[in-house]
Amino acid sequence: MYTAKPLPEVNLPPLRVVGKPLRRVDALGKTTGALVYAGDFSMPNMLHAKVFRSTQASARIRRLDVSRARALEGVVCVLTADDLPDAKLVTDMPGQTGQKQRKGSDAPVLAADRVRFAGEPIALVAAETLEQAERALELIEVEYEPLPGVFDPLEAMKPGAPVVYEPDNIVARWKIRKGDVEAGFAVADEIVENTFRVPFVDHAYLEPEAGVAWVDGRGVINIRVCTQVVEHFRSIARAVGVPHNKIHVQGTMLGGGFGGKEDITVEIFLALLAKHTRRPVKLVYTREESIQAHSKRHPFIITHRTGVKRNGRITAAEITMVSDAGAYPYLSPYVLLYATIASTGPYRVDNLKVDSVSVATNNPFTSAFRGFGAAQAAVAYEQQMDEIAKRLGLDRLEVRRVNYLKTGDRNTTGQVIRSAAWLEETATRVLEALGEKSEPPNEHVRIGQGFASYWQSYGRITWFHDTSRAWVGLELDGSAVIRCGVPDLGAGQVNSLCQITAEVLGVPLEEITIYSTDSALTPLAGTSTATRQLYMSGNAVYMAASNVRRVLLDRASKYFEEEPENLDLADGKVFVKSDPENALPLAELAGMCAADGLPLSNLALFRAPFTAKLDPENLRGDVFPDFTFGAHGVEVAVDTETGEVTLLKSVACHDVGRAINRAAVVGQIQGGSAQGIGYALMEEVQVKEGIIQTPSLSEYLIPTALDLPITQAFVLESGTGMGPFGAKGIGEPSLTPAAPAVANAVADALGVRIHSLPLTPEKVLAAVRGASEPESGEN
Amino acid sequence: MLPEFDLLQPRSLPEALEMLSAQRGGALPLAGGTNLVVDLRSGRRRPSLLVDISHLDELCAIRREGDRLVVGGGATIAQILDEPLIAEYAPSVREAARVFANPLVRNRATVGGNLVDGSPAANMPPPLLVLDAEVELSSRDGRRTMPLDDFLRGVRQTARRPDELLTAVRWAIPAPGSATAFYKVGLRKSDAIAVVAVAVLVEQDAAGVCRKARIALGSVAPRVIRAREAESALEGYPLTEERVAEAARLAAAATSPISDIRASAAYRRQVSESLVRRLLLAAREQG
Ligand SMILES: Cc1cc2nc3c(=O)[nH]c(=O)nc-3n(C[C@H](O)[C@H](O)[C@H](O)COP(=O)(O)OP(=O)(O)OC[C@H]3O[C@@H](n4cnc5c(N)ncnc54)[C@H](O)[C@@H]3O)c2cc1C
């Protein structure tokens, strides 16, 4: 039995609004249906679009004939690569950083003479009705000449393998060389080596990709779309061939993103069709098209070779990682970078060699997915820690405890951990809550418990020189307005900004209105990715609101004849701290400021730390602003006759720095757990010779309510994060430890380990029977 | 996208049968639509006319007639789940309904649609086969009944003629000393297609000798099958561990599973054997 390690003393300033599980500002519109999602929006005179896609994974397009489609009644426009001579889809560096884009990161918007994956877009159709657009697709004739394809990253690296695009199939490589690995292995008592595999996974958000575009009276192409990145307007402008300021992205509230809406999806297609037809155009993917068209989580093959002392202390580690980048690079180099840096787990490894490579294949392309490579890394490093414990006969917590990173330690790239690293604190809480193993209900069932610790960065790679902007203003009636480009994925991004503003300005949450997610009308806040929005835009809003607060308190200090530090703002009033009855409504204060010509609004820019790009041959230096730490634990029941795994308990504990809205934090933890548990037990986009075998949600399974126990969430607050009020990030981290915790629990139940996810009944049964693992799902 | 079709809504069963026969096979009955609408959307079926039978109350009753239970072809899976007669006399049928799809689908999906669809993975045939259930087929020209076992033919093939409706399923309440069991392995706990499903029935006399045995397996052959050799190996003998194990082996040998994205043939065969053994032993204890 374990007992929770006492927490170090923290003295967080008391807050009035921040931290409370208040009803989110977006809740009512969503529950009443008043909120208009991307796919629900229509305009008069609107056309309906469809995309014609390749059925081949690797082929030359010998002939493409769209004449019958063009002639069909109701069809207004059919576009092929011939109509778009230079249209390229930039797949690198979404966002605002202005850094140079990688060479070779472009994909054609529409394939011209060659297709590299099944699902690659070839032609666009716009018609008066959706039925006509669908019928037009059936009339498009294409003749393919099959070309040899490559579907396995290991094969793709071999000499003579078909080259997906020039010069070779190596999309990215990163290396870490730290300390003296040979010397480290020489002093090891044991060397443990394992290879782990993870599959393609789909984001399976509730809301498939959708949008409407139209050209307005100024000639601006407006695109109302669900996206994680409104800053794509620049790449869209380039692809469409118009100046940046002629594309206006109006982002909508998302029904989930998880990284799948981080890359451009429907935007360029919509902009092109609107430009060509001068009519509003709508494009909504079906679930099947969504699965075919958007990125997948990278499959990885990860090998750990770890030297350890008898007490569990790691003396050296050699780690190799191979990821399948699919047919175009997209964010593969950066996903691989995250995986590389996270590869050791939250452990001090002084002698370290990491070699990672991302490889092009003719499989579906892969890109961002909640956890962004660090989640794949965790599946490997946490199973490896359990294998080390098993080999040494040590307790699973003990083996981790002697290696856990501490504040002040240097990580894989030599970056110093500056915030709290509550690894033991979180792990022991999870273990304590799991308690004793349940009794198996009968002799076919074995019970197992497992847990995983993790670390995950929040905020973007610091050599991207990330910034966010926000505008906060007080109205004359005492209400407040926020303008910030932040996209809300459904995770509560805009609500957090409102709660922060409510705290700083003393304006009740219900009296705050936020305008967000607009590339032209709201200050650019950067991507809702990389667990960065609370950190980046939270700080920007905090700065802007604090600047307004200063003006208000200065003016109030004249009125009350009190120093500003003796005054405070709350509940729509300014008041004297020592005599709260002595108060003035904010509306009156705002009126006084306006009469004096004082600024009641402020536009602030927040900068993350800026660092230089690291040497890919040996990553050394700072790469991330900071890290979140935590743990997840589960108990499983494994049926040894059918291989079915049932989750009995799920417990998570994360140090979130500071919870801005506690209910939203718990929601993130429970949602992330569900996604991680699905990753462990059932989710796999099966791909055979480049063709997806799980084309709909009837074949691609995600967990249902009956597959998931309620995850008990412990929310710890060290107050040491770099976000507002000491917040860290929890969006991605909440997923990361769940899958390895499940894998460790299943291995605990069985006494043997299955080295590839998902842990299907078939693999579990094979493991029970000691047969070799079925090699399904590896390519 | 749904293709175009005409939809007729008959007010009574005779009217529905009239409509079906007038069309000479061009029409399809529409019950819950949980298979049919999916098929229409995917283009797998393109009927020009649908006859909506989902609102015909005379098709929905579940009742007891003497020593028999009668379930109307239009009874929904949700009804099965809520019906006290089923809970009391056909717990395995109830269990198959409990692990059927999800609450939304169960509210629409019908027993008739489940049997007529002819899927080898359907939930309801295994527990109904072990009860020796019969189906009643009606057309304008009359009625016929046949054993469910004869009705199921192959993958999505049944003995139904195009102008017939499946109007009822009937079976005799098992004799005292009988017990049934059902289990479905899916890849998740709800809304999962069966990878293997097994139902059993055993009737034991006072001496513990097995008088009657029935074993049915789903998702392991082109249709839901009975394992007759395995049944014969049990009848007339006490249900010892060895005999049960032998029956389980025979049952697994009767399967002809395929490998697909959900599982391999080898897995399906292994699990068939384990489940038949497990369920027979469980039924033995209840009997
Ligand atoms: C999300 C989802 C989950 C599912 N899960 C399961 C599951 O777990 N287990 C399972 O077994 N099935 C499952 N199904 C399949 C389906 O729900 C069942 O087969 C259901 O019982 C079909 O009944 P229905 O009333 O909807 O039939 P319909 O779709 O209306 O009809 C199916 C076929 O039967 C014909 N038909 C219907 N009623 C009659 C009648 N009385 N006489 C003659 N012909 C008739 C129709 O013409 C059609 O050909 C699932 C389906 C969905 C969409």
Side-chain angles (χ1 to χ4, degrees), chain A residues 130-131 134 444 639 641-642 644-646 682 686 693 698-699 701-702 704 706-707 761-762 765 769, chain B residues 1 183-193 260-264 266-267 270-271 274-275 277-278:
Chain A
L130 186 55
E131 291 76 8
E134 284 182 346
H444 316 302
D639 186 321
E641 291 187 336
T642 62
E644 292 166 289
V645 177
T646 304
M682 64 188 80
Q686 297 187 38
Q693 308 294 304
S698 135
E699 299 84 17
L701 300 187
I702 58 175
T704 68
L706 293 189
D707 296 283
E762 172 131 27
L765 190 63
R769 300 194 165 209
Chain B
M1 191 73 357
Y183 193 82
K184 160 178 160 181
V185 175
L187 297 182
R188 65 181 171 194
K189 305 278 179 259
S190 159
D191 229 346
I193 294 174
D260 65 10
I261 54 161
R262 297 188 178 87
S264 70
Y267 173 84
Q270 280 174 12
V271 172
S274 305
L275 286 182
R277 183 171 26 78
R278 187 193 285 189

